[in-house]
Amino acid sequence: MNEEVVKNFLLSAFSLIDNEEKRYISEVTIITIKSLLPQENEIGNRINYDRLEKEMELWYYYRQGDNTSLLNSIYLNNADVYWNEFDDSIYIRLTPIVFSNNNWDIIREEILKYILFTTGNISTILEGLMVSKILFLIMNNNEEMVDELKCEIINFSQSEFLEKFSQYFRVPVEKYPKKFSIEFERKRIALINILNGMGSNEFSTLRESLRTAQNNIQANNIQAEYSIFAKALYSIKNPISNKKDIGIYENFCDYLCKLNKGRIEPSLLAIDKYYLPNIFSFKEGEEFYHSLLSKCKVLKKEETKVVLKTKSGIYEFKR
């Protein structure tokens, strides 16, 4: 793998998320990285959903900004949000799956499962798969990008998809508000038309990413309104200057590279029994252990807020 691709993409993406109300994109991307586990029976890394669910429940208390889809995924209390809401964090937080694996079949399966964990939105499912494939092709220096994408989406059988992945939908497909099969095919054809060069107002992140990638990621006219994903693609060969402290993000990039190269033993990451104490129960100055945060120290405590120092940084939790 090309470690520079990983670092330039992710560090640029994290730097572009400079709005505190959007900081949850970085937070949940890191959660994705922490939830990836090397497999013992195959060469690859997959999401551990037991870990992911616990991480998301904890994230609720330290999140910066709100995202309706992500919040809904924690306890899934609104089916309409699951089917229809657009999650602007989705494409960035899919990238650790791509970066930590070399086998497209594993990546494809994990991408689809992970999307379905937070949303059943058909456009997001299809576009998430496509932009992940673009990143995979760039990592592998594959110049037949459009042909590869066409092959992927043309061979994306709806019946096979539902047969294999229906168990991962958080809301049964039968409860989709429209006719799922018809809507799926309509969106799939619209996406194929884009790959054939036809104009469209749909799948903006895919269209932006294609323009960027087809210019060998060297276009000097990257648009201000482009998505963070497309801008990060551009930054693979044109790294942006980072003015803020990104040391913690560099550590996670290094960690992803080690996962990709199989340099981390699965046993070192496995948690046999979770210890998840109530972080609001500790006094200021007190130290404790938490399975997801490791060693913690309470730096400050107020009635509705706790500030913790952990191995990976300082977190502010709010009730």
Side-chain angles (χ1 to χ4, degrees):
M1 73 175 301
N2 188 328
E3 295 185 18
E4 287 302 307
V5 171
V6 178
K7 290 188 176 182
N8 288 346
F9 183 97
L10 281 180
L11 294 180
S12 296
F14 289 141
S15 294
L16 287 164
I17 304 166
D18 55 3
N19 185 333
E20 189 169 321
E21 294 181 355
K22 297 286 187 180
R23 204 67 54 76
Y24 57 80
I25 300 176
S26 299
E27 293 168 348
V28 182
T29 300
I30 289 173
I31 284 175
T32 306
I33 296 171
K34 292 171 68 176
S35 300
L36 282 164
L37 291 183
Q39 301 302 292
E40 295 183 348
N41 58 348
E42 62 183 350
I43 300 174
N45 299 281
R46 295 182 182 270
I47 296 288
N48 180 292
Y49 282 89
D50 189 28
R51 171 73 179 259
L52 177 64
E53 289 175 4
K54 290 177 173 58
E55 290 277 6
M56 291 297 290
E57 289 171 3
L58 183 66
W59 167 79
Y60 178 86
Y61 295 101
Y62 68 82
R63 72 188 189 279
Q64 297 182 74
D66 285 329
N67 176 301
T68 306
S69 288
L70 292 173
L71 292 173
N72 187 65
S73 72
I74 297 174
Y75 299 112
L76 205 70
N77 54 12
N78 192 322
D80 184 63
V81 168
Y82 182 76
W83 293 124
N84 298 310
E85 193 77 17
F86 174 69
D87 174 9
D88 64 354
S89 76
I90 188 74
Y91 304 129
I92 295 299
R93 61 185 174 84
L94 289 174
T95 62
I97 297 173
V98 181
F99 289 140
S100 64
N101 287 288
N102 297 308
N103 183 322
W104 173 248
D105 290 337
I106 291 176
I107 293 171
R108 184 180 186 274
E109 184 174 332
E110 289 303 300
I111 289 291
L112 293 172
K113 286 164 58 178
Y114 190 41
I115 292 173
L116 293 174
F117 181 76
T118 56
T119 182
N121 183 287
I122 294 173
S123 293
T124 302
I125 294 169
L126 297 176
E127 190 169 34
L129 183 64
M130 289 291 98
V131 298
S132 297
K133 183 94 180 201
I134 287 175
L135 194 57
F136 175 77
L137 293 171
I138 289 172
M139 284 184 63
N140 289 276
N141 300 311
N142 190 318
E143 298 179 357
E144 305 298 324
M145 182 167 294
V146 173
D147 289 341
E148 290 282 352
L149 293 173
K150 284 182 184 179
C151 183
E152 184 71 41
I153 195 63
I154 288 171
N155 292 312
F156 191 6
S157 164
Q158 178 184 163
S159 59
E160 290 180 9
F161 168 63
L162 291 177
E163 180 180 355
K164 186 172 183 178
F165 293 94
S166 60
Q167 61 182 308
Y168 300 108
F169 279 85
R170 305 287 298 283
V171 178
V173 176
E174 293 75 23
K175 294 186 178 181
Y176 187 75
K178 301 177 184 178
K179 186 72 173 176
F180 187 90
S181 59
I182 294 174
E183 189 70 5
F184 185 96
E185 286 306 309
R186 187 185 76 77
K187 296 288 187 181
R188 193 172 73 96
I189 291 170
L191 198 154
I192 292 171
N193 288 338
I194 290 173
L195 296 175
N196 285 327
M198 297 174 65
S200 173
N201 292 322
E202 297 187 86
F203 302 111
S204 60
T205 299
L206 173 63
R207 289 186 281 109
E208 294 163 4
S209 299
L210 278 172
R211 290 192 202 110
T212 305
Q214 288 174 322
N215 281 297
N216 297 317
I217 326 173
Q218 294 175 347
N220 58 11
N221 61 341
I222 191 80
Q223 301 297 311
E225 66 271 16
Y226 271 20
S227 66
I228 294 172
F229 187 94
K231 289 179 179 178
L233 276 184
Y234 170 76
S235 297
I236 287 176
K237 290 190 177 179
N238 301 270
I240 64 174
S241 58
N242 298 299
K243 296 181 179 180
K244 59 183 179 180
D245 182 13
I246 57 171
I248 184 65
Y249 297 136
E250 288 182 324
N251 292 339
F252 279 111
C253 290
D254 290 338
Y255 176 75
L256 272 177
C257 293
K258 290 178 181 178
L259 278 178
N260 178 282
K261 295 178 179 179
R263 293 179 178 172
I264 300 179
E265 287 292 328
S267 59
L268 297 177
L269 301 178
I271 299 177
D272 295 326
K273 185 177 182 180
Y274 285 91
Y275 181 66
L276 307 171
N278 181 354
I279 58 175
F280 295 101
S281 66
F282 296 95
K283 299 177 181 178
E284 195 167 299
E286 201 168 352
E287 295 184 357
F288 63 95
Y289 176 79
H290 190 286
S291 292
L292 304 180
L293 299 169
S294 192
K295 184 179 179 181
C296 304
K297 182 176 181 178
V298 181
L299 298 181
K300 184 177 182 180
K301 183 174 182 180
E302 299 176 358
E303 186 175 348
T304 60
K305 183 175 72 175
V306 171
V307 179
L308 293 184
K309 180 180 179 181
T310 74
K311 181 180 179 181
S312 58
I314 294 176
Y315 291 81
E316 183 178 292
F317 293 83
K318 297 178 181 179
R319 291 183 188 271

